[in-house]
Amino acid sequence: MKKRWKVLLGMIVLVFVLAACAKEADTYKEGYLGDAAIEQDGTFDQIGTAEEGWEDAREQALKEATSGGQKAPAEAFDRAKAEEVVRLVNEERKRLGLNELVIDEAMMTAAETRAKEQKTLFSHTRPDGTKCFTVFDQFEIPANYRGENLASGGKCTPAFVMKMWIASEGHYANIKNEKFNRIGVGYFESGKYGYWAQLFAN
């Protein structure tokens, strides 16, 4: 009888351990999506909301980066990763029979600005309280049809972030939008945590 109780108790403990592990895995997953945004002739539309948990994941990544008294890695942009996302976007558009998007250097700079801003505020609202598309005015980029996709995560490789965006209806709508012909992508990494911004324009 005692042996049976010990077995039962062990099974209960195992269930609680597995549940705790599953909860942690959900909290600190590889990447998080912001909502998708699009603007046509001054009409702003936001699709969905930013996924919950990204702030906790960021803090966990920062703790891991500085564990054992180590200094956190320097903050930096990564142009190579940004250009790989552009390549993957065009690969997907080509598969759909759509025109390829051309890199706009001003939009690349604007996207880097927006990527870095995500560290402060993971939103299509900028830290100064204005809408995300004011970055086009800031860098004097002409367009009346614009889109923005956001993402962040500790292991957000170009392939992984594209997989997330393609799996999300709102983000994928921007990627395959026939009206767009220019693109800018920015990737900013801080303390082993990365922030992505993808800008589109006609």
Side-chain angles (χ1 to χ4, degrees):
M1 187 74 173
K2 287 184 178 180
K3 187 176 181 180
R4 189 180 299 176
W5 273 108
K6 285 182 179 179
V7 171
L8 182 60
L9 182 61
M11 290 177 68
I12 292 172
V13 171
L14 179 61
V15 168
F16 274 106
V17 170
L18 289 174
C21 289
K23 184 177 180 181
E24 183 175 354
D26 286 341
T27 303
Y28 304 121
K29 59 183 184 176
E30 291 181 333
Y32 294 83
L33 288 174
D35 43 358
I38 194 165
E39 183 182 66
Q40 182 175 17
D41 295 324
T43 302
F44 183 88
D45 190 19
Q46 200 160 306
I47 306 166
T49 56
E51 289 184 293
E52 295 182 0
W54 73 273
E55 289 176 304
D56 291 332
R58 178 186 63 182
E59 294 306 311
Q60 180 69 12
L62 289 172
K63 286 178 183 177
E64 291 175 358
T66 56
S67 63
Q70 294 180 356
K71 189 176 180 180
E75 295 183 331
F77 296 106
D78 194 322
R79 173 74 182 228
K81 286 184 178 179
E83 289 187 357
E84 174 61 9
V85 164
V86 174
R87 187 190 70 79
L88 292 171
V89 166
N90 281 330
E91 187 178 83
E92 178 64 15
R93 288 176 67 90
K94 186 177 180 180
R95 187 185 71 81
L96 297 172
L98 300 172
N99 63 298
E100 291 189 2
L101 302 180
V102 176
I103 287 178
D104 183 305
E105 287 300 330
M107 286 175 63
M108 293 294 279
T109 302
E112 285 186 342
T113 298
R114 289 291 297 131
K116 188 173 183 178
E117 288 178 350
Q118 300 317 300
K119 182 183 176 183
T120 303
L121 184 63
F122 189 45
S123 169
H124 291 295
T125 299
R126 303 181 70 184
D128 65 2
T130 62
K131 293 293 185 184
C132 60
F133 296 120
T134 59
V135 77
F136 281 77
D137 301 324
Q138 180 181 339
F139 291 96
E140 299 180 341
I141 303 166
N144 67 337
Y145 197 70
R146 309 176 280 199
E148 182 182 72
N149 287 343
L150 304 175
S152 69
K155 297 179 181 178
C156 245
T157 63
F160 187 82
V161 76
M162 275 298 295
K163 184 178 179 181
M164 288 200 302
W165 278 331
I166 287 175
S168 167
E169 183 179 355
H171 299 84
Y172 190 43
N174 276 339
I175 288 170
K176 65 179 184 177
N177 194 313
E178 295 181 10
K179 294 183 179 180
F180 294 139
N181 52 39
R182 292 180 290 153
I183 187 171
V185 177
Y187 175 71
F188 178 72
E189 189 167 278
S190 172
K192 291 188 177 180
Y193 197 84
Y195 304 88
W196 290 94
Q198 195 176 43
L199 297 176
F200 305 89
N202 61 350

